Amino acid sequence: MSDPSTDLQIDAARLPVMLTTLRLPSIARHWHTFATRADREGWGAARYLAALCEHELTDRASRRIARHLVAAGLPRGKTLATFDFAAVPTIRKAQLLSLGAGDPWIEQGGNILCFGPSGTGKTHAAAAIGHALVEGGRRVLFSRTTDLVQKLQAAHRDLSLPALLSRLDRFDCLILDDLGYASKDQAETAVLFELIAERYERKSLIITCNQPFSEWNSIFPNAAMTVAAIDRLVHHATILEFNAESYRKRTAAAFAEG
Ligand code: ADP
Ligand code: MG
């Protein structure tokens, strides 16, 4: 007859390898503690197994979010928690919280357009909404518009634009920061139009921009494309106007006054 304590030792020695092969790191880490607890509290085998599986699922969800947060490339520390709503009277806290929750605008491929002068918190708010979306299980990519335009153009040159667009399709929401810095003189922004048209009514965009629509003629190659881009962006959009004094200037002034 086999000795039960030897059997236990053999199983304990095999478990780490088996659990790693099955990609169950949380169970590998916790099975022993849970087993002690199960013995102490008289859990049955099903209860024990269910508790371990539940643990693995919870950990898996948070590992996934942590991965997506890194992949999102969001600027650090720009969250809803660090946003000072008193500084921007035109922006309501409840509205940003609800946009951060995602429903229903993101399901409908809606957009958010943030307008206002430099330093008023557009990038911070866009990043904060993005952060909240990732925490809620969505996939987000933050990018300076000029960087993304460069990537799109490079892809266009080597005929891999469709492949790049479908890679970007994996993101529920793309944040294009400083759309106004992309200019038709500097770059062939027709690819930007293609991105906007491709995502229309399917996948969301958050855009920050210092210039009002009336100045968007400097962004796209021609007037027809400008109008078409604005039409598609605005169709299912929430427009946020950041009409406040520059936060940078305000904090600098407060610092100078002591
Ligand atoms: P914009 O994109 O409109 O030019 P930013 O979002 O980059 O402005 O804001 C400039 C700086 O001021 C950033 O460091 C940002 O975190 C900070 N800031 C702006 N508005 C706020 C705010 N309402 N609460 C907290 N920080 C803010
Ligand atoms: Mg900005």
Side-chain angles (χ1 to χ4, degrees), residues 3-195:
D3 172 1
S5 82
T6 313
D7 281 354
L8 184 64
Q9 277 175 11
I10 294 172
D11 285 340
R14 293 164 61 217
L15 267 173
V17 178
M18 293 195 290
L19 290 168
T20 305
T21 309
L22 290 168
R23 296 181 209 282
L24 298 167
S26 299
I27 296 184
R29 208 171 321 118
H30 296 294
W31 73 268
H32 200 270
T33 324
F34 275 58
T36 313
R37 191 165 157 211
D39 288 343
R40 196 176 59 232
E41 296 179 16
W43 292 359
R47 173 84 197 279
Y48 172 65
L49 186 58
L52 280 178
C53 291
E54 206 174 298
H55 214 289
E56 185 69 53
L57 284 172
T58 313
D59 282 358
R60 192 170 285 187
S62 49
R63 285 195 299 270
R64 186 166 170 270
I65 288 174
R67 255 195 339 268
H68 290 173
L69 215 41
V70 172
L74 290 159
R76 280 176 167 274
K78 308 297 179 193
T79 62
L80 289 169
T82 59
F83 194 79
D84 171 10
F85 288 89
V88 206
T90 52
I91 303 297
R92 287 182 306 114
K93 182 173 185 176
Q95 187 179 24
L96 284 205
L97 289 177
S98 130
L99 291 171
D103 296 326
W105 69 278
I106 208 146
E107 302 297 344
Q108 299 159 355
N111 303 318
I112 301 177
L113 312 176
C114 305
F115 288 105
S118 179
T120 51
K122 301 181 299 298
T123 299
H124 190 139
I129 293 169
H131 207 279
L133 290 173
V134 176
E135 298 276 346
R138 319 268 181 178
R139 299 211 55 189
V140 172
L141 181 69
F142 179 98
S143 190
R144 278 198 304 213
T145 308
T146 46
D147 292 348
L148 191 65
V149 166
Q150 269 176 24
K151 286 196 188 115
L152 290 166
Q153 275 186 302
H156 182 62
R157 276 195 300 273
D158 20 295
L159 308 177
S160 60
L161 186 60
L164 177 57
L165 290 175
S166 72
R167 270 209 306 285
L168 292 172
D169 231 38
R170 276 189 244 147
F171 296 99
D172 302 298
C173 179
L174 291 185
I175 303 179
L176 305 184
D177 195 32
D178 281 323
L179 187 85
Y181 289 3
S183 103
K184 62 181 174 191
D185 318 323
Q186 163 211 342
E188 170 63 85
T189 42
V191 285
L192 188 59
F193 175 76
E194 227 165 295
L195 175 72

Side-chain angles (χ1 to χ4, degrees), residues 171-231:
F171 296 99
D172 302 298
C173 179
L174 291 185
I175 303 179
L176 305 184
D177 195 32
D178 281 323
L179 187 85
Y181 289 3
S183 103
K184 62 181 174 191
D185 318 323
Q186 163 211 342
E188 170 63 85
T189 42
V191 285
L192 188 59
F193 175 76
E194 227 165 295
L195 175 72
I196 292 167
E198 164 86 11
R199 291 180 75 90
Y200 177 59
E201 290 192 318
R202 292 189 314 109
K203 300 273 171 164
S204 297
L205 291 169
I206 301 181
I207 281 169
T208 76
C209 193
N210 293 347
Q211 294 94 323
F213 288 132
S214 56
E215 290 169 28
W216 279 30
N217 268 320
S218 64
I219 302 173
F220 292 96
N222 58 58
M225 211 180 267
T226 306
V227 171
I230 293 173
D231 271 356

